[in-house]
């Protein structure tokens, strides 16, 4: 077995692991970071950017939200069912963390909210300008994977500080000595065990989005049936299991719910095109929410999750499609391409020809419902009611914004099944505001830290999309806080 000795061992070089490695090294610690894959960045390479409150960029854009206001908003959203100290420390650090990223060369195009909400629903659903969108490496329009530019800069910074990366070396076990974390056992790419002894251990393995058995066991969802989450390779729950094995307290993990099409990255135009306030029904043919809220992917994911079969159907007719093509979508997504409808026909025709199951086209509404698997009778009754309300210009059932009350009447008709989706999993390991792991009795397990999604227990039952960029925000800030605290332990440590 190969043996190493260091001050801080960080398990994983995803977003939170990179932040932890950099901050521990900046504060004087020798750091070894073991990573399962052959690269850094983890799921963050797929995203667009982190939350920050009180950053230089926000001040430049005259965004006046303060960390204290964000803290309150977060706590109202979660009904105070999460640890206020952790939430407080996270928000109060988050603005300066964006400045810290800029100092290492990360560029942001600006600050954005995930979506806006109509005036009458603002209190809970309107987004704040907290999402710091990373400027993509090619300098083009930001979209999925823009944040790769950030993880690359962070990797460069870590290397510059002397962080030693060991790739294709997954950690298997946390070493404990006298009740204190003392290192990890990992396995290198040749299958050889590696022992890394350290004064402290930081776990940052990104949850269990790629582990269907664990998803079923921990959350009840069935991958590919009741949930179609991003399953980023390598996220198998290793960090949770390692922490629980050494006595970490358990928090209930959740899925970071939203909604999406199966294999959505390969059907991205349709994924975006149907995120419109057109007509949305459940399997019984009934509307189930005011469609003007469809832009809030968390609320819509939640709403779909309580429908029969956990599915919904978004429907428009050729008149609406013509309008979207001419004037652009009613709701603009910041994630999907802005010229979605220029490419609609191409992707639609290809997906129909390929038999991509979620999409259906028909010349009559009965046939559409039949083909899509919606109860025909229920759907036809709903259509009659909905079209009458469109004609009257008022939604008596949900009071959907009247601008979007557009009848479904002109063939052909287009339907796209919508499923519960998720970015990944959230939480599981109990921590305090120093990111120290706590046991079942909420006592500190010395020198053991857990950060990022493995320890993100602060969202309660729903991702707070109102403060967007929150998952990356928590990952970077929890990593930073853990790195600082792990380095500070060295002051009274002797080998
Ligand atoms: C498509 C998509 C878009 C997103 N967009 C955004 C966004 O714009 N803003 C936002 O806030 N959030 C976004 N997110 C969420 C965000 O990217 C993640 O929450 C964040 O990257 C998680 O960071 P992490 O450090 O916990 O895990 P990750 O960054 O996923 O890193 C985990 C790392 O652990 C490694 N690993 C696993 N097991 C082991 C082991 N045993 N030993 C060593 N290494 C191991 C993995 O290989 C990986 O590198 C998005 C997610 C997805 C999927």
């Amino acid at each position: 077995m190969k043996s190493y000795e260091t001050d801080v061992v960080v398990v994983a070089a995803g977003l939170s692991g990179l932040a932890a490695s950099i901050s521990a090294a900046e504060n004087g610690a020798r750091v070894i970071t073991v990573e399962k894959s052959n690269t850094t960045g983890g799921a963050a390479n797929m995203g667009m950017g982190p939350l920050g409150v009180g950053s230089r960029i926000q001040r430049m854009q005259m965004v006046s939200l303060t960390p204290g206001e964000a803290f309150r908003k977060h706590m109202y959203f979660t009904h105070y069912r999460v640890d206020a100290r952790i939430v407080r420390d996270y928000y109060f650090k988050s603005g300066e963390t964006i400045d810290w990223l800029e100092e290492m060369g990360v560029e942001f195009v600006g600050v954005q909210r995930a979506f806006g909400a109509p005036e009458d629903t603002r209190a809970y659903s309107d987004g704040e300008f907290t999402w710091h969108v990373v400027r993509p490496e090619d300098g083009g329009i930001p979209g999925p994977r823009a944040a790769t530019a950030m993880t690359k800069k962070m990797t460069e910074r870590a290397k510059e500080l002397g962080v030693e990366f060991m790739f294709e070396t997954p950690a298997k076990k946390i070493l404990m000595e006298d009740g204190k974390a003392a290192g990890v056992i990992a396995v290198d790419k040749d299958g050889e065990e590696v022992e890394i002894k350290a004064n402290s251990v930081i776990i940052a393995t990104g949850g269990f989005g790629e582990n269907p058995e664990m998803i079923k066991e921990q959350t009840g969802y069935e991958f590919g049936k009741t949930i179609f989450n991003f399953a980023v390779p390598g996220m198998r729950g290793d960090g949770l299991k390692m922490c629980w094995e050494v006595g970490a307290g358990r928090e209930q993990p959740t899925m970071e719910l939203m909604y999406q099409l199966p294999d959505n990255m390969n059907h991205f135009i349709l994924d975006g095109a149907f995120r419109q306030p057109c007509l949305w029904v459940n399997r019984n043919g009934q509307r189930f929410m005011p469609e003007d809220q469809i832009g809030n992917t968390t609320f819509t994911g939640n709403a779909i999750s309580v429908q029969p079969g956990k599915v919904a159907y978004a429907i428009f007719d050729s008149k609406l499609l013509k309008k979207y093509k001419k004037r652009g979508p009613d709701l603009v997504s910041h994630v999907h391409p802005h010229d979605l409808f220029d490419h609609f026909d191409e992707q639609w025709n290809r997906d129909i020809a390929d038999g991509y199951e979620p999409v259906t086209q028909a010349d009559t509404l009965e046939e559409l419902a039949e083909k899509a698997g919606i109860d025909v009778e229920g759907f036809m009754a709903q259509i009659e009611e909905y079209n009458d309300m469109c004609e009257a210009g008022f939604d008596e059932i949900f009071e959907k914004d009247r601008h979007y009350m557009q009848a479904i009447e002109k063939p052909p008709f287009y339907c796209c099944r919508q499923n519960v989706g998720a970015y990944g999993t959230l939480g599981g390991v109990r921590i305090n505001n120093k990111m120290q792991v706590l046991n079942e009795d909420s006592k500190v397990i010395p020198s053991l830290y857990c950060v990022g999604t493995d320890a993100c227990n602060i969202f309660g039952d729903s991702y707070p999309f109102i403060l967007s960029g929150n998952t990356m925000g928590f990952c970077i800030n929890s990593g930073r806080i853990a790195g600082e605290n792990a380095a500070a332990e060295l002051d009274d440590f002797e080998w």
Side-chain angles (χ1 to χ4, degrees):
M1 188 194 315
K2 287 184 205 152
S3 286
Y4 300 84
E5 185 200 289
T6 190
D7 295 330
V8 179
V9 60
V10 180
V11 176
L15 186 60
S16 57
L18 281 172
S21 306
I22 296 167
S23 90
E26 274 180 346
N27 286 284
R30 293 174 300 152
V31 181
I32 293 181
T33 302
V34 292
E35 166 56 48
K36 188 191 259 186
S37 73
N38 60 6
T39 189
T40 59
N45 290 334
M46 299 179 73
M48 290 171 64
L51 167 142
V53 182
S55 69
R56 185 195 67 85
I57 295 172
Q58 280 163 320
R59 290 195 299 278
M60 295 282 289
Q61 281 191 222
M62 295 196 276
V63 174
S64 59
L65 183 75
T66 66
E69 287 164 351
F71 161 75
R72 293 257 176 189
K73 195 158 183 165
H74 187 115
M75 295 310 291
Y76 291 157
F77 188 87
T78 55
H79 304 140
Y80 277 82
R81 291 175 67 93
V82 300
D83 188 315
R85 283 280 175 177
I86 300 177
V87 175
R88 187 260 168 223
D89 286 3
Y90 155 43
Y91 280 109
F92 276 75
K93 197 168 187 70
S94 68
E96 196 261 309
T97 292
I98 300 289
D99 305 347
W100 178 73
L101 289 166
E102 281 197 294
E103 276 160 28
M104 62 182 89
V106 179
E107 289 181 44
F108 297 95
V109 284
V111 63
Q112 183 53 272
R113 58 184 182 185
F115 54 85
E119 193 61 51
D120 50 354
T121 57
R122 236 164 219 180
Y124 258 110
S125 55
D126 198 21
E128 295 285 354
F129 286 83
T130 52
W131 192 25
H132 289 69
V133 176
V134 178
R135 186 183 301 284
E137 277 186 307
D138 65 4
I141 297 173
R145 302 200 172 90
T148 312
M150 173 173 73
T151 57
K152 280 194 180 162
K153 287 286 179 202
M154 292 174 79
T155 308
E156 282 168 20
R157 175 71 179 141
K159 286 184 176 161
E160 197 181 285
L161 289 161
V163 173
E164 191 182 332
F165 289 102
M166 292 185 182
F167 291 106
E168 297 176 80
T169 306
K172 299 284 174 196
K173 189 180 164 46
I174 299 167
L175 294 171
M176 298 293 290
E177 272 171 23
D178 303 326
K180 169 189 177 303
V184 297
I185 299 285
V187 176
D188 73 11
K189 57 173 176 283
D190 303 319
E192 197 181 331
E193 281 205 342
V194 179
E195 181 189 62
I196 302 160
K197 298 202 86 181
N199 181 50
S200 44
V201 177
I202 303 177
I203 301 291
T205 67
F208 53 94
E210 204 220 358
N211 187 334
E213 297 80 32
M214 204 165 162
I215 289 175
K216 174 91 172 78
E217 184 188 292
Q218 296 291 331
T219 72
Y221 282 104
E222 286 185 71
F223 182 78
K225 276 193 190 157
T226 54
I227 198 159
F228 291 81
N229 58 281
F230 285 100
V232 184
M235 311 318 170
R236 309 265 321 153
D238 299 357
L240 277 73
K241 289 188 215 159
M242 284 188 279
C243 286
W244 289 340
E245 201 177 274
V246 297
R250 287 172 188 249
E251 296 288 337
Q252 178 58 53
T254 57
M255 300 303 293
E256 191 181 353
L257 233 56
M258 33 89 100
Y259 67 98
Q260 66 191 51
L261 305 185
D263 186 24
N264 73 331
M265 294 309 264
N266 286 318
H267 305 272
F268 208 50
I269 297 292
L270 300 188
D271 194 64
F274 279 88
R275 290 189 175 191
Q276 296 306 316
C278 46
L279 172 66
W280 284 61
V281 297
N282 65 16
R283 209 168 59 184
N284 298 336
Q286 254 193 338
R287 291 174 68 216
F288 58 93
M289 68 185 290
E291 293 92 339
D292 52 23
Q293 293 284 294
I294 290 302
N296 185 325
T297 53
T298 302
F299 285 3
T300 307
N302 284 347
I304 298 174
S305 78
V306 295
Q307 301 311 309
K310 300 196 191 308
V311 288
Y313 303 84
I315 293 155
F316 47 71
D317 66 354
S318 57
K319 201 165 140 199
L320 256 177
L321 177 58
K322 194 171 161 194
K323 190 192 102 174
Y324 295 149
K325 282 182 180 169
K326 194 167 164 206
R327 305 225 310 257
D330 279 333
L331 295 183
V332 177
S333 143
H334 295 299
V335 173
H336 297 87
H338 289 197
D339 55 355
L340 277 176
F341 284 96
D342 295 347
H343 307 285
F344 180 85
D345 287 344
E346 188 192 328
Q347 173 138 68
W348 180 261
N349 293 335
R350 191 171 61 233
D351 282 352
I352 290 279
D354 291 351
Y356 178 55
E357 206 228 323
V359 299
T360 316
Q361 178 174 336
D363 286 329
T364 68
L365 287 160
E366 287 91 342
E367 189 194 346
L368 189 81
E370 175 93 48
K371 276 164 101 176
I374 306 169
D375 179 73
V376 178
E377 213 177 304
F379 181 62
M380 293 313 291
Q382 177 64 88
I383 284 281
E384 192 180 340
E385 179 192 68
Y386 183 71
N387 284 353
D388 283 351
M389 293 191 302
C390 289
E391 200 180 330
F394 182 67
D395 173 8
E396 284 173 24
I397 306 298
F398 291 126
E399 300 191 2
K400 165 159 94 167
D401 189 323
R402 58 195 291 277
H403 290 106
Y404 306 136
M405 294 301 288
Q406 299 155 107
I408 306 293
E409 52 195 4
K410 192 166 187 297
F413 301 105
Y414 304 85
C415 173
C416 188
R417 196 189 69 214
Q418 305 287 335
N419 292 93
V420 177
Y423 291 103
T425 66
L426 291 171
V429 176
R430 187 174 303 166
I431 54 165
N432 64 14
N433 60 327
K434 290 183 164 176
M435 310 303 149
Q436 291 169 300
V437 174
L438 306 180
N439 65 17
E440 281 296 352
D441 204 19
S442 292
K443 297 272 184 329
V444 169
I445 300 180
S447 302
L448 182 59
Y449 299 83
C450 186
V451 297
T453 45
D454 286 347
C456 184
N457 309 305
I458 61 160
F459 296 165
D461 63 25
S462 297
Y463 172 67
F465 233 95
I466 47 168
L467 293 153
S468 54
N470 224 305
T471 19
M472 281 194 195
F474 181 76
C475 290
I476 303 179
N477 286 287
S478 60
R480 250 192 114 188
I481 294 169
E484 287 164 5
N485 287 314
E489 277 190 38
L490 294 168
D491 295 344
D492 37 46
F493 176 72
E494 280 171 35
W495 279 103

